Amino acid sequence: MPKNKNIAPAYVAGVIANNASVCRQFARILGGEVVATGDGFCTVTRERPELSPTILGRPYTATAMFGYRSPDVGGLTLNTGEVPMLQREVNPFIDSLRDDTILVTAIHTHWLFDRPRLVYVHFEAVSDPLAFAQAVADAFALLTGRGDDDTDQP
């Protein structure tokens, strides 16, 4: 992850030292909340209220989810994420992720009859979780949540 060389490794002998603390840092960097943490794993969510989506005319909460797990002996973890976004936000977001060598693994919708039309981007990387979190936060900063996005037009 080239952009984040200042983040100190949070590992000792393949075990995440102070995992609860690392998880809180992971959440803080991502602007989210810890929803689960344990021995070597962390799950964080972040809502996108600016999207104000509805499904079948009913209010819905668009929520991004991020996590890490499975530390190896070098201290790297499997890091994953899923972010709901407007169609016009997809390309800048995935370009930013790819610049940090994060693999984009799926781009698709989850719902029928949602307004605005939401697209979910899934991604993953094996890396330091805090470097991953910073790279994702940088990409997330590109999301504006603005505009009518009910068409496929850019």
Side-chain angles (χ1 to χ4, degrees):
M1 309 247 124
K3 290 183 187 176
N4 304 301
K5 295 180 176 147
N6 299 353
I7 299 174
Y11 312 97
V12 177
V15 175
I16 298 177
N18 272 328
N19 187 56
S21 174
V22 173
C23 188
R24 284 190 302 274
Q25 290 175 64
F26 186 80
R28 180 187 50 74
I29 292 167
L30 289 163
E33 296 182 20
V34 174
V35 294
T37 188
D39 188 21
F41 78 91
C42 174
T43 303
V44 169
T45 60
R46 177 176 173 175
E47 292 183 3
R48 292 207 59 204
E50 73 279 9
L51 296 177
S52 301
T54 61
I55 298 175
L56 293 172
R58 302 290 178 115
Y60 178 74
T61 303
T63 305
M65 186 167 30
F66 315 98
Y68 66 78
R69 63 189 64 250
S70 305
D72 65 18
V73 294
L76 304 180
T77 58
L78 170 63
N79 307 286
T80 59
E82 170 184 337
V83 177
M85 62 189 67
L86 300 175
Q87 293 174 79
R88 67 177 40 103
E89 295 175 315
V90 171
N91 285 326
F93 184 81
I94 66 174
D95 286 347
S96 182
L97 293 179
R98 289 175 176 160
D99 285 348
D100 277 315
T101 65
I102 295 173
L103 300 172
V104 175
T105 58
I107 302 171
H108 59 129
T109 61
H110 281 194
W111 310 109
L112 296 175
F113 313 112
D114 56 342
R115 297 278 186 215
R117 190 74 174 136
L118 298 178
V119 176
Y120 288 75
V121 175
H122 297 252
F123 46 93
E124 61 192 24
V126 173
S127 66
D128 178 283
L130 300 182
F132 173 85
Q134 186 59 60
V136 172
D138 292 346
F140 209 101
L142 300 172
L143 304 179
T144 64
R146 290 194 303 262
D148 178 17
D149 208 56
D150 288 335
T151 70
D152 290 328
Q153 302 301 313

